[in-house]
C-alpha cells in the first residue's frame, strides 16, 4: 500500500547539507519499510537511525520530528526502529500507515 500523496519531510533550516542527507536517509528507510514489498534490512534502518541521532541527539527533538513525519506521511519512525531493534537481522516490513 504505497503512499500516493506528496508531502515535505520535516527538516530544520539550520541543518547543514550533510545533516539533511542523514535525516532524509532515515525518512526514506522508514518509507521503504512501509512501501516496499520486501521491506528493508533491519541493519539499514538501524544504521540510518544512528546517523539521524548524530544530527538530532535530543530525545524531545527526535519525538517532535517523528510526530511531524508521521503527520505528513502516516509512517512512524519510532515503531519502525523499534521493530528493527527487535528483529536485529532480516527484513523490516511495516503494515499500513501507523502500523
Amino acid at each position: 500500500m504505497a503512499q500516493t500523496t506528496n508531502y515535505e519531510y520535516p527538516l530544520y533550516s539550520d541543518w547543514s547539507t550533510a545533516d539533511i542527507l542523514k535525516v532524509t536517509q532515515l525518512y526514506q528507510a522508514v518509507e521503504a519499510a512501509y512501501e516496499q514489498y520486501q521491506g528493508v534490512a533491519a541493519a539499514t534502518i538501524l544504521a540510518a537511525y544512528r546517523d539521524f541521532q548524530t544530527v538530532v541527539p535530543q530525545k524531545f527533538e527526535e519525538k517532535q520530528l517523528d510526530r511531524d513525519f508521521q503527520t505528513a506521511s502516516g509512517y512512524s519512525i519510532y515503531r519502525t526502529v523499534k521493530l528493527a531493534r527487535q528483529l536485529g537481522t532480516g527484513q523490516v516490513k511495516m503494515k499500513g500507515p501507523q502500523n
Side-chain angles (χ1 to χ4, degrees):
M1 174 162 46
Q3 188 77 7
T4 56
T5 56
N6 291 328
Y7 54 89
E8 291 184 22
Y9 291 142
L11 302 169
Y12 293 146
S13 60
D14 61 337
W15 285 343
S16 69
T17 301
D19 290 348
I20 290 171
L21 288 174
K22 288 177 183 179
V23 172
T24 301
Q25 285 176 340
L26 177 62
Y27 292 156
Q28 290 172 341
V30 170
E31 285 174 339
Y34 280 91
E35 295 177 2
Q36 291 182 7
Y37 176 75
Q38 72 277 14
V40 177
T44 299
I45 291 171
L46 295 175
Y49 181 66
R50 282 191 296 275
D51 285 345
F52 171 85
Q53 288 182 305
T54 67
V55 178
V56 185
Q58 301 289 333
K59 274 292 184 197
F60 76 92
E61 281 183 306
E62 181 180 326
K63 288 178 181 181
Q64 183 61 52
L65 285 169
D66 186 18
R67 275 192 301 274
D68 293 347
F69 180 68
Q70 192 165 347
T71 298
S73 68
Y75 304 149
S76 170
I77 295 169
Y78 171 78
R79 289 186 182 107
T80 306
V81 170
K82 181 179 176 185
L83 181 57
R85 284 183 174 147
Q86 288 172 345
L87 292 175
T89 60
Q91 297 294 108
V92 175
K93 176 65 180 142
M94 302 299 288
K95 292 181 176 69
Q98 302 175 19
N99 187 18

